[in-house]
Amino acid sequence: MKKKLLAGIAVLLLAFLYYYIELPAINIHESGFWFFLVAVIGIIVVVYAIRKRLYGTIQLKQSKGIKAGVILMLGIIAVYAVGSLLSSPIINAKKYQNLVTPEERDFTEDIQEISFNQIPLLDKDSAVLLGNRKMGSMVDMVSQFEVSDLYSQINYQGQPYRVTPLVYANAIKWLTNQKDGIPAYIRIDMATQNTELVKLEDGIKYSESELLNRNIYRHLRFRYPTYMFDQLSFEINDDGVPYWICPVKKFNIGLFGGQTIGKVVLCNAITGETEEYKIKDCPQWVDRAYPADLLIDLYNYHGTLKNGFFNSVLGQKGCLKTTDGYNYLALEDDVWVYTGITSVSGDRSNVGFILMNQRTMETRYYSCAGAEEYSAMESAEGQVQNLKYTAAFPLLLNISNEPTYFMALKDGAGLVKKYAMVNIQKYQNVINEIIGDFATYEENNSNSRYPFLRYFSTYEGHSWASGHANFGDGNNQESSSEAINAWAGLILYGQATGNKELTSLGMYLYATEVSSVNCYWFDTDGDILDEQYTEGKGENAKYSQASMVWGGKYTYAAWWTDEPLQIQGINILPMTPASFYA
C-alpha cells in the first residue's frame, strides 16, 4: 500500500512539474493539453513498469497494464491526428476563406494627409536603440534592470507611442528586487522620438521576467486554467497605468482550426488584478488584441483559398497573398496592421494593400496597383548606394492624396541618416516610361510618345548610340555591352511582372544583338575585319576586335582615351550573367 502511495505521489509530482513549467491550458482545443495527457500517461506507464519490475522486452510485451497504457497513448495521438486533419484547410477551405471579410474602401477618404512633424518615424529597431540609451543614463537602475525588447506600438492620448517594461537583469537581481517589483517602464513618442523613463509609485509585480508565481504567464494560467492565450502585449491605459493585454484564442473550425480571438483579459501589471471582456466589448484604449502575425495568416487564408485548397497549391488561379513584411498605422484611435497584397507567383508588384484593426479584426482592402514594398526599399537604397544605407520597412502615408511609402535609411550601426518617399503607383509607371523610351515595340502607335525601337536597327541587327548620324561615317556604336544588358533587363522585368510580350521582345533583342556583336565587334568567325586591321605592323598595332563600329568603318579606340584596358572594357562591362557571350 505504501509503495502504491509513493508511486502515486511521484506521478502527481512529475505531472505538476510538467504543468508548472509548460503551462498547458486544460482545454481540448489546446495542442499542449493533448501532449500533457500523453506525457502523464507515459509517466504512469514508466512508474508502473518500475514498480512491477518489468525490465525485459518480453515482460513489457506481456504486461496488460503496459499494453493498456500504450494503447491509450496511441489512441490519444490518433484522435489528435484525426482532429488536426478535420480542422485543416484541406477539408475546410471555404470556412477558412470566410474567417475575414475585407471591405473595399477608398484610400483618400480613410487616410488623411498629415503634417511631416506628425509622421511616426520610429520603427522598433530604432526604439530599441533609444530605449537602451535612456536606460544607460539611469545610474540608479542600470545595474539592476534591463529593457525588455517588446516595444508595443500603441495610441496614447491621441499620439503613436512605443512602450516597453523593464526586466530584471538576472536571477540574482530578481531575488534582491522582486519585493518592490520593477520600478518603471519606457515610453517613446514615435513622431518626436522623445524618450521617457516613467517611474511608478508602486512597482510592476507581474511580468515576463518574474521567475515564480508572479510570472505573468503562470499568473494567468492559475487564474484561467482553461483559457488558451495568444501573444501578450504590454500597454498603458489613458492614465499611464501599465497593463498586460492577454488575448484568448477561439477556434472556429473543428478542434484546432480557424483561430481568431474570442475575448481578452486585461491584467494590471502592478496589482495582478484581471478583467475579461468579449472582443466586441474591449475598451477603446486597448490597441492590440489580435497579434499582427495572426491577422496576416487570416488574410492569407482569404486570399489563397478562394478557389479551394488544391487550387492554392497547384493551379493557384486568382490566388493573392500578403507581401513579406508589415508595418503599423495609427488610424481612428486604433492601431492597424498594414501590408501589401500581391499574386502568389512572386512578382515584384502589388495589386493593392490592406489595413487590419488589431482590436476588432476589421479588414479594409484598397485597390492600388504599384510597387511592392521591397522594390520600393531597393529603389530608395539605390539613390544612396554609394553610402550603403539600408531601408527600413516602409510606412504608408497619404501624400497629396496618393498612397506613398515613407521609409528610414540607416547606416551600418542602425542609425537613421535619411528618409525616403516612393509613390506606390507611379513607381511602376516610371519603369514603364523608361522601357517605352528605348523599347516601344508597336509601330505607328498613336498613343505612344516614343518612336519604334528608338536605338535598335532591325536592318543592321544591333543598336546605334547616336540617332542623328551627323558624322561623315554615319552612326556609331561604342559600348555594345550596355545594349545587351538593357535587353537582359527587359527579359527579367517582363518575367517579374508576368508580361510575356515584353519578355519575348527582350529575348529577340538580346539574341539578335549578341549575334551582331559577335559578328561585327568580336569577328568570331574571322570574316569581317580586314587583314590590314588585324595584321597591321609598325604604327598600326595588331587588333583582334573592333571597339567602335560605324556605318562606314570600324576602329579600335574610345571617345576619351587610347588606353587598351578601357577600350576593351567598354564592350564588356558591366559583367553580369548576361555577359557569357563575351
Side-chain angles (χ1 to χ4, degrees):
M1 183 65 184
K2 186 177 180 180
K3 289 183 178 180
K4 288 184 178 179
L5 181 61
L6 289 174
I9 292 173
V11 170
L12 290 175
L13 181 60
L14 289 171
F16 175 76
L17 286 174
Y18 179 90
Y19 183 79
Y20 193 81
I21 295 170
E22 295 298 325
L23 301 172
I26 303 174
N27 192 309
I28 62 171
H29 296 287
E30 172 68 66
S31 296
F33 175 67
W34 293 81
F35 297 138
F36 174 68
L37 288 178
V38 172
V40 169
I41 295 170
I43 292 170
I44 293 173
V45 168
V46 170
V47 171
Y48 177 83
I50 294 172
R51 181 172 169 272
K52 294 292 186 179
R53 300 186 179 182
L54 304 174
Y55 303 122
T57 305
I58 296 175
Q59 289 177 307
L60 291 172
K61 288 182 178 180
Q62 291 177 346
S63 172
K64 292 183 179 179
I66 298 296
K67 286 182 180 179
V70 171
I71 290 172
L72 185 56
M73 284 193 292
L74 292 175
I76 292 173
I77 293 171
V79 171
Y80 178 80
V82 172
S84 298
L85 177 62
L86 295 178
S87 306
S88 71
I90 298 174
I91 297 174
N92 304 284
K94 194 64 178 177
K95 292 180 180 179
Y96 273 88
Q97 204 258 335
N98 290 329
L99 285 171
V100 294
T101 306
E103 177 188 2
E104 189 154 353
R105 302 284 288 252
D106 182 82
F107 174 80
T108 55
E109 290 182 4
D110 284 356
I111 302 174
Q112 302 299 315
E113 290 190 67
I114 60 175
S115 61
F116 285 97
N117 62 356
Q118 294 177 305
I119 296 175
L121 305 173
L122 197 71
D123 63 1
K124 184 176 179 179
D125 292 337
S126 298
V128 170
L129 293 175
L130 290 177
N132 289 338
R133 188 181 302 164
K134 185 68 176 180
M135 191 64 193
S137 68
M138 308 304 293
V139 293
D140 58 330
M141 295 185 189
V142 70
S143 65
Q144 302 297 308
F145 303 95
E146 296 175 350
V147 185
S148 168
D149 62 357
L150 286 175
Y151 288 96
S152 306
Q153 180 169 333
I154 64 170
N155 284 338
Y156 176 64
Q157 297 181 351
Q159 294 295 323
Y161 278 81
R162 285 191 180 270
V163 292
T164 192
L166 304 186
V167 297
Y168 299 108
N170 54 46
I172 300 300
K173 305 299 171 60
W174 166 79
L175 190 63
T176 56
N177 290 283
Q178 58 93 23
K179 181 179 178 181
D180 296 324
I182 296 170
Y185 62 84
I186 285 179
R187 183 173 66 203
I188 307 176
D189 188 317
M190 294 179 64
T192 66
Q193 301 188 33
N194 180 47
T195 305
E196 303 172 85
L197 188 127
V198 181
K199 295 185 178 181
L200 300 165
E201 185 175 341
D202 296 312
I204 294 173
K205 306 293 196 308
Y206 297 83
S207 71
E208 293 180 322
S209 62
E210 288 285 343
L211 299 182
L212 298 176
N213 286 3
R214 289 195 330 213
N215 178 279
I216 183 60
Y217 298 103
R218 199 162 285 122
H219 176 66
L220 291 169
R221 175 55 61 236
F222 291 161
R223 185 161 290 196
Y224 301 97
T226 62
Y227 283 10
M228 300 166 290
F229 292 102
D230 209 312
Q231 300 172 20
L232 272 55
S233 174
F234 181 82
E235 299 187 22
I236 57 176
N237 67 8
D238 293 333
D239 298 320
V241 178
Y243 275 83
W244 291 100
I245 311 304
C246 316
V248 180
K249 298 178 183 178
K250 177 184 178 182
F251 291 93
N252 301 278
I253 304 170
L255 283 176
F256 311 115
Q259 182 203 327
T260 54
I261 301 299
K263 59 181 67 175
V264 64
V265 173
L266 310 185
C267 179
N268 187 307
I270 298 172
T271 66
E273 296 175 350
T274 59
E275 304 172 82
E276 63 176 285
Y277 297 89
K278 292 181 178 179
I279 198 70
K280 63 183 180 66
D281 300 322
C282 187
Q284 182 69 37
W285 64 264
V286 173
D287 289 305
R288 182 187 176 276
Y290 281 84
D293 291 334
L294 174 60
L295 292 174
I296 296 299
D297 288 342
L298 290 172
Y299 185 84
N300 282 334
Y301 288 138
H302 178 83
T304 59
L305 297 174
K306 60 177 60 179
N307 293 313
F309 174 80
F310 292 104
N311 177 71
S312 72
V313 177
L314 301 175
Q316 299 184 325
K317 181 179 179 181
C319 292
L320 299 173
K321 67 172 184 176
T322 58
T323 49
D324 295 330
Y326 56 81
N327 215 324
Y328 302 96
L329 189 69
L331 182 67
E332 300 169 3
D333 201 27
D334 278 318
V335 175
W336 299 67
V337 174
Y338 151 78
T339 188
I341 303 300
T342 186
S343 70
V344 297
S345 62
D347 62 46
R348 302 298 302 275
S349 61
N350 285 346
V351 298
F353 58 89
I354 55 168
L355 297 179
M356 303 187 78
N357 190 306
Q358 286 199 278
R359 183 171 58 86
T360 66
M361 198 178 73
E362 179 186 351
T363 303
R364 300 176 179 178
Y365 174 78
Y366 301 87
S367 178
C368 176
E372 181 250 8
E373 293 91 337
Y374 286 95
S375 297
M377 291 163 65
E378 290 171 5
S379 174
E381 290 170 353
Q383 297 299 312
V384 290
Q385 57 184 318
N386 59 311
L387 301 174
K388 297 183 179 179
Y389 293 162
T390 57
F393 195 85
L395 294 169
L396 181 68
L397 300 179
N398 181 344
I399 304 296
S400 300
N401 287 329
E402 294 190 4
T404 304
Y405 292 132
F406 180 91
M407 67 202 81
L409 293 166
K410 301 180 181 181
D411 64 12
L415 300 175
V416 175
K417 294 298 183 181
K418 292 177 179 289
Y419 295 97
M421 288 192 294
V422 177
N423 186 291
I424 293 178
Q425 294 172 303
K426 292 182 180 178
Y427 172 85
Q428 194 175 43
N429 291 342
V430 170
I431 295 177
N432 289 334
E433 287 292 317
I434 293 171
I435 291 172
D437 190 6
F438 72 88
T440 291
Y441 55 90
E442 295 180 0
E443 291 189 86
N444 303 319
N445 184 349
S446 59
N447 295 320
S448 175
R449 71 186 78 184
Y450 304 114
F452 173 70
L453 295 178
R454 181 190 295 272
Y455 301 107
F456 186 83
S457 168
T458 55
Y459 174 77
E460 300 287 354
H462 62 79
S463 302
W464 292 114
S466 299
H468 55 75
N470 192 23
F471 299 100
D473 292 300
N475 263 338
N476 71 89
Q477 170 73 328
E478 183 177 34
S479 179
S480 60
S481 58
E482 288 183 7
I484 287 171
N485 274 288
W487 309 141
L490 205 61
I491 296 170
L492 293 174
Y493 185 72
Q495 290 177 329
T497 57
N499 189 328
K500 293 182 179 179
E501 288 187 348
L502 212 55
T503 303
S504 298
L505 174 66
M507 294 173 70
Y508 159 72
L509 293 170
Y510 176 84
T512 309
E513 190 95 38
V514 165
S515 179
S516 295
V517 168
N518 282 330
C519 181
Y520 300 125
W521 276 259
F522 298 152
D523 192 17
T524 54
D525 293 329
D527 57 1
I528 296 296
L529 301 179
D530 188 87
E531 289 183 0
Q532 293 181 7
Y533 182 86
T534 59
E535 299 179 6
K537 297 179 181 179
E539 294 181 359
N540 297 319
K542 181 179 179 180
Y543 305 126
S544 62
Q545 68 182 60
S547 65
M548 189 184 302
V549 172
W550 292 75
K553 68 178 182 180
Y554 44 81
T555 59
Y556 189 79
W559 282 104
W560 69 94
T561 183
D562 291 327
E563 204 275 309
L565 186 63
Q566 296 187 53
I567 294 173
Q568 291 288 118
I570 196 65
N571 281 293
I572 298 175
L573 299 176
M575 293 292 289
T576 72
S579 306
F580 288 123
Y581 68 93

